[in-house]
Amino acid sequence: MEISRINRGWVMRSHDHVSQAEFETAITSIKNDGGGSVRWFVCEPNIDEQRFANANGLQLDAPLLHMRCDLPLAPQHKVPDGFRTRAFRPGVDDEEWLSVNARAFAEHPEQGDWSRETLSARLAEPWFDAAGFLLHEIDGRIAGYCWTKTHRTIPPSGEIYVIGVDPAHHGKGLGRALTIAGFSRLASLGLRNGMLYVAGNNSAAIALYESLGMRIVHRDEVFVGTVRAS
């Protein structure tokens, strides 16, 4: 069982089935460290794991879908003529990006709650590459972004780590253009495998990704709730 703090809450991930003792150890650790909101990601939970979650006030939420595609995308999926992006500038774009991100993910329990400290920690990660953090501007302001990430797996793959559009610019096709731009950038690095994660109840995003040739390869169930401090 992996436990990590995400902003003001916690994420638990289990790659294999867990025992009641393992689950209770994780919950106790969170209680002893101040408690807070909890999201538990588990693949194909069994009856016991569902019971552990419910007994601790965690209820089933929308699943997390892992989607993949071949790169480059099919020839018909091209960045629209005139669509431009630029690289994120650490220390310059931070506050504006955080504002746009908060609006884009106002209903999201993790992504929408990013702070300056959260962003600074991500920018300090060894995998961070400003050239792969694409911003699209309208009238000189950030309207949307596509943050990409590379994985040194075998074979290597490229991920759309976070993608968002300011609600003020919804309905303009920016999500599709940014997705294509992100995967185009990853393909230009020689990567042939693309991936991303999306909430299972985000039907519009799933339809968009499927229209670009992506397919669902894995599904995690997600239990959510609040654990009180001990």
Side-chain angles (χ1 to χ4, degrees):
M1 177 87 75
E2 297 176 3
I3 307 173
S4 57
R5 183 181 286 278
I6 302 295
N7 303 328
R8 290 175 292 195
W10 299 88
V11 165
M12 304 194 310
R13 297 183 188 277
S14 52
H15 302 290
D16 297 304
H17 293 302
V18 300
S19 67
Q20 183 169 354
E22 290 171 320
F23 182 83
E24 290 179 351
T25 296
I27 293 296
T28 298
S29 176
I30 292 173
K31 287 180 177 179
N32 292 340
D33 209 0
S37 63
V38 173
R39 295 174 67 81
W40 180 29
F41 295 83
V42 54
C43 179
E44 299 180 359
N46 57 33
I47 294 176
D48 286 337
E49 288 167 324
Q50 294 178 45
R51 179 170 53 82
F52 303 157
N54 294 338
N56 285 271
L58 305 184
Q59 301 298 320
L60 199 61
D61 197 23
L64 182 70
L65 306 181
H66 179 188
M67 302 186 73
R68 285 188 173 272
C69 63
D70 297 327
L71 297 179
L73 297 176
Q76 66 267 29
H77 304 310
K78 297 180 179 179
V79 177
D81 292 340
F83 186 83
R84 298 286 182 269
T85 61
R86 66 168 177 83
F88 179 88
R89 299 169 298 181
V92 176
D93 295 316
D94 300 31
E95 294 301 329
E96 185 181 355
W97 180 83
L98 284 168
S99 180
V100 171
N101 181 71
R103 292 194 295 273
F105 290 95
E107 303 301 321
H108 195 283
E110 296 168 21
Q111 185 63 35
D113 198 31
W114 276 41
S115 64
R116 189 176 183 85
E117 290 71 27
T118 308
L119 177 59
S120 295
R122 297 301 188 280
L123 300 182
E125 292 282 357
W127 53 260
F128 175 70
D129 177 11
F133 193 164
L134 311 178
L135 305 183
H136 174 69
E137 295 180 317
I138 294 178
D139 297 330
R141 306 294 294 176
I142 298 173
Y145 61 88
C146 181
W147 189 344
T148 65
K149 176 181 181 180
T150 59
H151 295 272
R152 295 180 180 178
T153 51
I154 300 176
S157 61
E159 176 184 356
I160 289 184
Y161 178 54
V162 190
I163 184 169
V165 175
D166 191 320
H169 297 288
H170 282 178
K172 298 179 180 179
L174 299 188
R176 183 180 188 85
L178 284 162
T179 303
I180 295 172
F183 280 134
S184 295
R185 197 262 170 183
L186 292 168
S188 74
L189 300 177
L191 299 171
R192 295 296 173 259
N193 301 282
M195 59 176 284
L196 54 74
Y197 294 90
V198 61
N201 62 350
N202 192 342
S203 57
I206 294 169
L208 166 61
Y209 301 145
E210 289 181 333
S211 75
L212 296 175
M214 303 200 77
R215 58 198 180 278
I216 298 170
V217 297
H218 182 79
R219 169 191 176 111
D220 278 342
E221 298 298 343
V222 184
F223 293 91
V224 303
T226 300
V227 172
R228 292 185 177 182
S230 59

